[in-house]
Amino acid sequence: MNNRVQEMNEDLVMPGEVAAAPETVRNAGPAAPSPSVQMRTNGGLGAYMRKVRAITRKELQAEWRAKEVFSTMTIFGILAVLVFGMAFDLRVPKSDMVAPGVLWVVLLFAGVLGLNRSFGAEVDRGSLPALLLAPMDRSAIYFGKMIANLIFMLAMLALVLPTILIIFDVNMIKTWILVALLLGVLGYVAVGTLFAAMTASVRARESMLPILLLPLMVPIFVAGVALTAAVVDGRTLGDFWRWLGVLSAYDLIFVTIAFIVFDMIWQES
Amino acid sequence: MSELIEIRKVYKRYGRKSVLRGVNLSVGAGEVVVLLGANGAGKTTLLRTVSGLSKPDRGEIQLGGASFSTAGYELRRYIGLVSHTSLLYDNLSAPENLNFFARLYDMQAPAERIEWTLQAVDLWRRRRDLVRTYSRGMVQRLAIARAILHNPPVLLLDEPDTGLDQESAEMLHQLIRKLGADERAILLTTHNLERALAWADRVCLLVDGRIVFSEKTANLTGDELRRQYREAGRPA
Amino acid sequence: MSSVSTSQSRAGAQSKTGRSGVWDILILIINIAATIGMVALVWASLVYAKPATNLAGDEQLAQRIFYIHMGCNVGALIAFIVSLTGSVLYLITRNLRWDRMSQASIEIGIIIGLGTVITGSIWAKPTWNTFWTWDPRLTTATITVLVYVAYVLFRNGIDNRRTRALFGSIYALFAFLTIPLTYYSARWFRSIHPVVFSGDNADAQGGFAVGSTMMQTVAVGAIAFTLLFIALLIARWRQLSMEDQLFELREDLES
């Protein structure tokens, strides 16, 4: 037994070796012998990326059926834009003074709703162990979910930006604003997905996540608002490049650290 | 020689409660071992610990001579787990669920294997339906299909018979027999003493985090097992 | 918690009681030094430091809070650097003592940091004619205090001692790393903070000429708050480690 396991450890084709494929179980079942299982093992980066993609795909597929995350986030986002529009209508002389702030506030607050579901849904229906049992570095779960969250939030923005255009009459669908939104949302979901995983099994997770997350988002918020305002004011790249620097630095630092620490999260359970 | 599942002096506590207190157990290839015990005796914790979902505070767990600390995440390939929760996604169909897990386990060309597995648990006819439309018994069967999809040598089944009707339970019994005959180590828990006797090669009684009784079913009658079960439950 | 760690901490407790005499005297000396430091700081800032020559009236009087303000600032900064060290050490070694150090130092940092924010606001009123401005340092200090308050709340929501330590350490790491980014974004956003020790910021309002007695008082403030931090850190660190020991003993008794 030991020898065989050693072999298994070396080339890791074991499941096919250890057990001959089970025969059909019921009389009514298929008569053919079971197909053998072949696995790629230790496929390096390629295998890792395939798993990340599988998780992202699963998230999108499930979301497409349930429309649980995207719809809540988007409805909240549009509602928030309307409420801000009403609140500022009589008091603010020019709406482009507040529109950049509204965009980023809506983004941050609506995003929390989606991030909470990211691991919350797995914990609620008890499917998280299935992901944890998969033979892969658990950071694949992180990247898979992060990319899915990124896509959900960009999809939400695709509806919120036109809403702001209608309500505030400020067109923010401009190249550099979109670049800033991409970088900002990336930093947000990078930190947000990690904390969503940590708060998922903690008491009062729904309220804990925003408290943990929002104060860490100040650099993204400030940089995003400043850059958006600069573009709305018609200034050139030379005036706002440093904000792109802040956003990129934030993304780089926190994606790296989240990747390093993510595998630790379930070590103590 | 080490067996497929080797549990040596495993201790685990959650907060203030000691759940496992020095469990020793080994399950060999082709053996079906049933763990019996009252709720809270530590059955689920033991299975979670063997599967690597929980880390034991003390003691050692080896699967086929390798442990998680040395083999790393590749060791998880050895394990198929059926848990209290289905470990499935309600908004996906059965093949979509299995396809997702096939990808996580790096299976090449999984379509054939998925079809075979679904046939084996008699769900192929319902392959187009989402899991959320399934009955409890069907979900349980699919959960078993998920656990055996990647053909793991170690199967851990936590009360796999809950929610199954008589026919499904019989099917599960046949399936476990077949899987066990293929040189697998199967460790399962149940509350049903008759089933334990019928299904297992060996029955172990877990009381307060310790295995207090272990006997081959060949040497055991139903009355004897019931007597042991009652006595073990009684406070010393 | 494994009984291995229990026995380790018990051995630790025994060896600690073994040299408790020297240890207690050392703590006493630090406590006394911190007290003297704080008294000296109050005296120096109110009496010893000469009034700022280019300010007048309320502004001149209010400037004296600056010494406390600056001291708090130094204390809070040290506290959060120590907490970062503790968190990283915990993540590497998984020894709970570092988690306790990190927690103790964050709790003290919150209080001293709150001191920075409050003294800053009080100083801002006569100088900038408002309690609150979005001055980058005031903003950063306030956000930082809020982040660490979130840390304390987060920990309270986690039951498992080791999970609490792990998640707390990860959060403390993130919290510290955002501080410079928050500071620079707030600074580039707008700045009216008096840049006291270098005259290159033409926009700064409320700056003042610095004399030698004032520099000495600033130094006293920095030393006094450092001592205060160390004294409080040791007290809280010991308290937390006793709490953990008590908890483990109770567990052993019950199981």
Side-chain angles (χ1 to χ4, degrees):
Chain A
M1 190 60 232
N2 238 343
N3 277 342
R4 193 168 61 192
V5 166
Q6 239 91 73
E7 276 167 35
M8 288 176 349
N9 277 337
E10 276 157 25
D11 49 19
L12 277 157
V13 282
M14 44 93 309
E17 250 188 358
V18 166
E23 290 291 311
T24 48
V25 191
R26 306 182 81 207
N27 296 340
S34 84
S36 66
V37 178
Q38 286 179 1
M39 299 193 195
R40 302 184 186 93
T41 46
N42 281 336
L45 192 62
Y48 186 79
M49 296 311 285
R50 273 195 298 278
K51 289 169 188 181
V52 169
R53 212 169 53 211
I55 292 167
T56 305
R57 221 180 82 136
K58 186 271 292 177
E59 295 279 310
L60 297 180
Q61 214 172 13
E63 175 59 22
W64 184 253
R65 301 261 166 74
K67 296 177 189 68
E68 188 183 347
V69 177
F70 172 71
S71 52
T72 3
M73 271 194 327
T74 310
I75 297 292
F76 177 87
I78 291 173
L79 270 175
V81 171
L82 287 173
V83 169
F84 277 126
M86 244 151 68
F88 292 145
D89 185 36
L90 298 175
R91 300 286 298 171
V92 178
K94 279 176 70 200
S95 55
D96 59 5
M97 289 175 166
V98 291
V102 169
L103 171 65
W104 287 86
V105 169
V106 168
L107 175 70
L108 292 187
F109 282 83
V112 172
L113 297 179
L115 290 171
N116 252 329
R117 294 311 296 159
S118 184
F119 282 89
E122 300 267 3
V123 168
D124 287 347
R125 73 168 99 79
S127 51
L128 192 58
L131 293 180
L132 300 181
L133 278 172
M136 61 193 179
D137 192 87
R138 282 168 182 165
S139 59
I141 304 172
Y142 169 74
F143 282 119
K145 292 216 172 239
M146 188 190 89
I147 294 167
N149 287 330
L150 183 71
I151 292 170
F152 294 150
M153 292 197 60
L154 294 178
M156 171 196 76
L157 281 173
L159 292 176
V160 164
L161 280 172
T163 314
I164 294 182
L165 174 60
I166 294 166
I167 304 286
F168 285 89
D169 196 23
V170 179
N171 184 10
M172 293 199 283
I173 309 171
K174 292 178 175 150
T175 316
W176 286 114
I177 295 182
L178 296 180
V179 171
L181 283 171
L182 182 66
L183 289 174
V185 171
L186 180 62
Y188 187 35
V189 296
V191 179
T193 307
L194 176 77
F195 286 133
M198 289 204 292
T199 52
S201 48
V202 166
R203 268 184 268 128
R205 65 157 185 258
E206 309 277 328
S207 51
M208 193 53 82
L209 186 60
I211 291 173
L212 292 181
L213 203 49
L214 294 180
L216 296 186
M217 286 303 136
V218 171
I220 285 194
F221 180 75
V222 170
V225 171
L227 196 153
T228 310
V231 175
V232 168
D233 290 349
R235 272 184 265 155
T236 53
L237 183 61
D239 291 331
F240 57 73
W241 62 269
R242 57 163 49 146
W243 298 120
L244 290 174
V246 171
L247 292 172
S248 314
Y250 192 99
D251 294 357
L252 205 67
I253 295 170
F254 290 110
V255 171
T256 313
I257 296 178
F259 165 66
I260 295 170
V261 300
F262 191 80
D263 202 48
M264 296 177 184
I265 290 180
W266 289 283
Q267 279 174 3
E268 303 294 351
S269 55
Chain B
M1 279 290 284
S2 76
E3 304 280 11
L4 255 181
I5 304 177
E6 278 280 351
I7 304 168
R8 287 193 208 111
K9 295 202 187 92
V10 162
Y11 288 80
K12 177 77 188 172
R13 81 209 282 180
Y14 284 114
R16 291 190 177 189
K17 193 170 163 24
S18 258
V19 187
L20 301 178
R21 313 181 194 201
V23 175
N24 285 296
L25 180 66
S26 57
V27 185
E31 197 180 11
V32 180
V33 172
V34 167
L35 274 175
L36 287 170
N39 290 328
K43 302 191 297 290
T44 298
T45 306
L46 184 60
L47 290 196
R48 278 180 62 88
T49 314
V50 174
S51 74
L53 284 172
S54 293
K55 206 172 58 179
D57 294 334
R58 249 200 298 172
E60 204 186 9
I61 285 168
Q62 291 197 336
L63 301 178
S67 73
F68 281 102
S69 51
T70 54
Y73 58 76
E74 286 290 343
L75 192 59
R76 294 189 206 134
R77 275 180 211 287
Y78 286 42
I79 300 158
L81 175 72
V82 172
S83 146
H84 281 292
T85 53
S86 68
L87 306 184
L88 297 164
Y89 294 94
D90 289 347
N91 289 314
L92 304 182
S93 69
E96 281 168 348
N97 263 298
L98 295 189
N99 199 29
F100 169 58
F101 289 106
R103 282 159 191 271
L104 292 190
Y105 284 86
D106 307 289
M107 287 166 61
Q108 281 176 321
E112 225 185 323
R113 173 76 189 171
I114 288 171
E115 182 179 345
W116 180 86
T117 315
L118 284 176
Q119 299 272 20
V121 296
D122 197 20
L123 284 173
W124 182 244
R125 289 173 295 117
R126 295 286 305 268
R127 64 185 177 278
R128 296 190 199 289
D129 298 334
L130 300 188
V131 172
R132 66 168 177 237
T133 65
Y134 283 15
S135 70
R136 181 133 186 227
M138 290 163 74
V139 171
Q140 191 64 10
R141 267 145 51 196
L142 185 57
I144 292 160
R146 192 204 73 89
I148 61 173
L149 177 71
H150 57 291
N151 212 357
V154 171
L155 264 179
L156 307 168
L157 309 158
D158 197 359
E159 298 182 14
D161 53 337
T162 41
L164 293 187
D165 56 26
Q166 205 55 49
E167 195 197 356
S168 300
E170 186 49 36
M171 191 178 81
L172 178 64
H173 180 193
Q174 299 296 335
L175 194 61
I176 286 172
R177 272 280 183 73
K178 280 288 175 199
L179 293 166
D182 290 328
E183 297 281 282
R184 264 175 253 259
I186 301 181
L187 183 58
L188 66 100
T189 69
T190 180
H191 281 300
N192 188 321
L193 298 189
E194 277 75 27
R195 259 176 213 158
L197 272 180
W199 293 9
D201 299 316
R202 188 149 55 94
V203 176
C204 295
L205 212 52
L206 193 65
V207 177
D208 281 339
R210 282 192 201 91
I211 289 184
V212 296
F213 173 78
S214 173
E215 186 60 72
K216 286 205 181 335
T217 45
N219 311 332
L220 210 61
T221 63
D223 289 338
E224 168 70 7
L225 181 61
R226 258 185 291 278
R227 197 179 61 75
Q228 287 287 350
Y229 192 82
R230 269 201 311 276
E231 276 185 10
R234 207 173 291 156
Chain C
M1 247 149 285
S2 73
S3 43
V4 177
S5 79
T6 313
S7 58
Q8 269 172 359
S9 64
R10 245 186 239 136
Q14 274 156 13
S15 67
K16 219 177 276 169
T17 45
R19 47 163 206 257
S20 72
V22 184
W23 190 231
D24 283 342
I25 289 168
L26 205 67
I27 291 173
L28 189 66
I29 290 171
I30 292 171
N31 288 349
I32 291 170
T35 316
I36 293 173
M38 294 310 288
V39 171
L41 173 61
V42 172
W43 169 76
S45 57
L46 292 181
V47 182
Y48 178 69
K50 295 212 171 72
T53 48
N54 64 336
L55 303 176
D58 281 354
E59 240 184 293
Q60 194 182 47
L61 192 64
Q63 179 269 335
R64 288 181 182 276
I65 206 173
F66 158 78
Y67 303 111
I68 313 277
H69 179 64
M70 200 61 198
C72 284
N73 213 347
V74 171
L77 186 68
I78 292 175
F80 295 136
I81 290 173
V82 170
S83 84
L84 175 76
T85 318
S87 308
V88 172
L89 283 175
Y90 179 75
L91 290 178
I92 295 168
T93 64
R94 298 301 162 92
N95 185 330
L96 282 174
R97 101 172 29 163
W98 301 122
D99 175 62
R100 291 191 284 266
M101 179 173 93
S102 187
Q103 186 193 349
S105 140
I106 283 174
E107 287 172 354
I108 299 158
I110 288 172
I111 294 167
I112 301 183
L114 217 54
T116 313
V117 174
I118 292 169
T119 52
S121 289
I122 295 172
W123 189 21
K125 185 62 184 173
T127 311
W128 299 333
N129 202 24
T130 172
F131 283 115
W132 185 259
T133 75
W134 290 104
D135 161 71
R137 283 173 234 196
L138 195 51
T139 309
T140 310
T142 312
I143 299 284
T144 305
V145 169
L146 282 175
V147 170
Y148 283 111
V149 170
Y151 166 94
V152 173
L153 292 174
F154 186 33
R155 286 184 71 104
N156 287 343
I158 306 169
D159 293 326
N160 182 318
R161 177 70 185 90
R162 289 197 168 263
T163 311
R164 199 188 309 147
L166 178 66
F167 288 10
S169 295
I170 293 176
Y171 190 72
L173 178 63
F174 275 74
F176 191 87
L177 289 174
T178 52
I179 296 174
L181 285 163
T182 304
Y183 173 71
Y184 278 105
S185 30
R187 178 169 171 175
W188 288 334
F189 208 58
R190 87 189 331 171
S191 180
I192 57 169
H193 199 99
V195 177
V196 173
F197 298 113
S198 69
D200 59 356
N201 190 343
D203 297 335
Q205 301 166 12
F208 49 86
V210 180
S212 65
T213 53
M214 298 162 95
M215 272 312 272
Q216 287 155 6
T217 310
V218 168
V220 171
I223 293 166
F225 269 95
T226 309
L227 284 171
L228 180 69
F229 166 71
I230 294 171
L232 290 175
L233 177 71
I234 292 171
R236 181 65 178 146
W237 196 356
R238 285 179 104 199
Q239 190 187 12
L240 287 172
S241 93
M242 284 175 198
E243 265 177 28
D244 277 354
Q245 277 176 35
L246 192 66
F247 184 78
E248 278 177 28
L249 285 174
R250 203 176 278 157
E251 270 187 343
D252 285 353
L253 276 179
E254 282 175 13
S255 60

